[in-house]
Amino acid sequence: MAFRFSIARLPRPSTPLKYTLLTPPWLPTSQARSMATVVPPVTQDLTSRSGPTAMVFMNMGGPSTVADVGPFLSRLFADADLIPLGRLQSYLGPLISRRRTPKIQNQYASIGGGSPIRKWSEYQSLEMCKLLDARCPESAPHKPYVAFRYADPLTEEMYKRLLDDGFGKSGRAVAFTQYPQYSCSTTGSSLNELWKWRTRLEGKEPEGGGVRWSVIDRWPVHPGLIEAFAKNIEDQLATYPAEVRKDVVLLFSAHSLPMSVVNRGDTYPAEVSATVYAVMQRLGFSNPYRLCWQSQVGPSAWLGAQTQDTVMSYVKKGHKDLVLIPIAFTSDHIETLYELDQEVIHEAHKEGGTGVKRAESLNGSQIFIEALADVAAKHLSSGEISSRQMGIRCQGCKSERCLEQKRFFMNTQRDVEEVIR
């Protein structure tokens, strides 16, 4: 449904608003006392100083049905930011996607006929916005949107909805990456796509001011994110007998990157490592641990050690009790439900590693949703366009598209500050 309205015409609340405390689970009580929030949540029937605000969740997405696998792979292999194939990208991309489609369709069929990432993204964004309406009445109402890079709802579709909902008339929107650790191949690619459709649909100088964007581009060590991961790990460790629990090896698994991306200076490996270290700090370094990498595609060199090789190596060395932790994913999808559950763990069990398990993904974790709201609330109140890191390019970056995208978002700083003011 499209919402068109004028903020000036919205009625003011007739009764005083009451305040209460929403306490994120990771905050001490003394710190939580300063987090006064409005109850009931502010809606579009109430006046806010700078709302409404569009909260756009960006992610790679996944095919919702088996029939969607072909188009999903076509878009994925066409993206040189994610899978760089050089000058032959336009030829090799479609060829690889066609050849891989039947195999990947079977994989999605085995996990229920499609990816659950859209369901979880829509749920997480909606629940986060409910919390933001209470915590940040000055930017309410907060309207949830999802923009996937390779599957519906695509960035183009999301942007058209934004314009239909009236945000093209100097409305505020926040591009909130659901990759906690920044990479040019993931968040960077999504921002490139967002910038592309902004230019196509609004032009360089849009009438009415256009959508006013700011970006949450990374949040790898946010306390709530760390707490959500740690809680799921503790829950899985509790399933092991007490006498072996401290010896269970924790294997953090993140999506790998081509070494060509790593070697040009991409920050992703460092930020994933920061997340892992923060989680282990929260756990008191209770167990031995390692970081490994999954989901490499093609014959070129990718960041390792690879997850499946790591698990099989430890099982053969006598480490039968292992917990896999998907540390760079915010919900279940093919990489967890098929690659880890049905390939890696299944093969480990066949080799005698019957104690190999996986920690639950974040999915509907209330701790995680509180963390999302906290990240967003701090961003909304800061007046900043992005993190300081986003303004600097990778050392070896030669992408003109990346340069133009960064110029666009950096140049919106003044517009965002005017909206905050």
Side-chain angles (χ1 to χ4, degrees):
M1 178 183 296
F3 295 92
R4 292 185 172 86
F5 48 87
S6 168
I7 295 177
R9 296 178 182 175
L10 292 175
R12 295 187 180 275
S14 56
T15 58
L17 295 171
K18 297 181 180 180
Y19 291 81
T20 188
L21 291 176
L22 292 181
T23 307
W26 66 88
L27 283 180
T29 303
S30 60
Q31 186 175 351
R33 289 194 184 102
S34 65
M35 297 175 61
T37 53
V38 178
V39 176
V42 178
T43 68
Q44 301 213 23
D45 295 327
L46 299 180
T47 300
S48 62
R49 180 162 56 88
S50 61
T53 305
M55 303 300 299
V56 181
F57 270 31
M58 300 188 306
N59 210 328
M60 70 183 301
S64 296
T65 68
V66 171
D68 296 330
V69 170
F72 170 77
L73 291 179
S74 294
R75 299 183 189 105
L76 188 145
F77 282 100
D79 183 8
D81 293 321
L82 179 66
I83 303 177
L85 299 173
R87 289 177 293 178
L88 295 178
Q89 186 98 31
S90 60
Y91 169 75
L92 291 176
L95 179 64
I96 296 171
S97 66
R98 284 197 300 270
R99 288 184 174 180
R100 288 181 61 84
T101 292
K103 175 183 176 181
I104 304 302
Q105 284 178 326
N106 289 335
Q107 292 179 3
Y108 276 101
S110 73
I111 65 168
S115 172
I117 191 170
R118 179 172 184 173
K119 175 190 75 173
W120 286 123
S121 296
E122 291 177 343
Y123 174 80
Q124 291 165 350
S125 61
L126 177 61
E127 294 303 305
M128 180 199 71
C129 283
K130 292 177 182 178
L131 295 178
L132 284 177
D133 282 349
R135 182 171 171 181
C136 304
E138 67 278 1
S139 54
H142 302 87
K143 184 172 174 60
Y145 296 82
V146 172
F148 286 154
R149 184 65 180 84
Y150 313 113
D152 292 332
L154 294 165
T155 305
E156 174 187 7
E157 176 186 340
M158 177 281 300
Y159 215 116
K160 289 177 178 177
R161 283 188 57 215
L162 272 183
L163 297 179
D164 287 344
D165 289 355
F167 285 94
K169 298 178 181 179
S170 296
R172 187 180 185 191
V174 178
F176 191 171
T177 180
Q178 293 307 292
Y179 308 101
Q181 306 91 2
Y182 183 93
S183 173
C184 296
S185 62
T186 53
T187 298
S189 177
S190 289
L191 290 174
N192 287 342
E193 189 75 356
L194 182 62
W195 167 74
K196 180 183 80 175
W197 285 107
R198 188 270 181 186
T199 303
R200 290 186 180 182
L201 295 175
E202 293 197 274
K204 292 185 177 180
E205 296 183 4
E207 183 179 349
V211 180
R212 300 187 183 213
W213 286 100
S214 64
V215 181
I216 301 173
D217 53 278
R218 68 197 78 207
W219 38 291
V221 293
H222 184 274
L225 175 71
I226 302 308
E227 181 65 26
F229 279 130
K231 178 64 166 57
N232 286 355
I233 294 169
E234 289 174 332
D235 288 347
Q236 190 60 273
L237 284 173
T239 66
Y240 291 88
E243 61 270 19
V244 303
R245 195 171 299 152
K246 65 181 177 59
D247 297 318
V248 175
V249 179
L250 304 181
L251 291 181
F252 295 89
S253 185
H255 202 295
S256 187
L257 279 183
M259 287 306 299
S260 59
V261 177
V262 175
N263 289 337
R264 73 176 179 230
D266 197 284
T267 62
Y268 176 74
E271 294 191 13
V272 172
S273 297
T275 306
V276 171
Y277 194 81
V279 171
M280 290 309 303
Q281 277 189 315
R282 158 60 180 78
L283 294 173
F285 297 97
S286 59
N287 294 71
Y289 71 99
R290 286 293 185 272
L291 170 59
C292 45
W293 309 86
Q294 65 179 92
S295 310
Q296 70 274 23
V297 179
S300 62
W302 284 61
L303 184 63
Q306 295 300 321
T307 299
Q308 185 153 18
D309 295 342
T310 299
V311 171
M312 297 308 296
S313 173
Y314 278 131
V315 168
K316 290 176 181 178
K317 291 174 181 177
H319 296 287
K320 307 293 186 180
D321 298 322
L322 310 169
V323 173
L324 287 160
I325 303 111
I327 197 64
F329 308 118
T330 56
S331 71
D332 275 323
H333 42 76
I334 194 75
E335 285 86 353
T336 58
L337 298 175
Y338 183 83
E339 187 177 350
L340 293 183
D341 291 354
Q342 297 188 32
E343 287 189 331
V344 175
I345 294 177
H346 178 71
E347 288 300 315
H349 288 181
K350 285 171 57 178
E351 295 296 322
T354 54
V356 179
K357 304 178 184 180
R358 176 173 70 86
E360 285 294 319
S361 298
L362 299 178
N363 293 337
S365 162
Q366 187 61 31
I367 297 174
F368 175 63
I369 292 169
E370 291 273 5
L372 290 172
D374 190 62
V375 172
K378 289 176 179 176
H379 174 80
L380 288 167
S381 64
S382 71
E384 296 179 351
I385 187 67
S386 68
S387 72
R388 297 283 292 173
Q389 279 287 75
M390 185 177 153
I392 187 170
R393 300 168 73 192
C394 295
Q395 300 95 307
C397 179
K398 298 179 181 178
S399 170
E400 289 299 316
R401 181 172 49 183
C402 174
L403 175 60
E404 291 302 316
Q405 170 253 113
K406 288 182 181 294
R407 281 176 175 168
F408 164 70
F409 285 111
M410 294 300 104
N411 287 339
T412 61
Q413 177 68 62
R414 184 177 304 171
D415 291 340
V416 173
E417 288 174 348
E418 290 175 358
V419 172
I420 292 293
R421 193 178 305 118

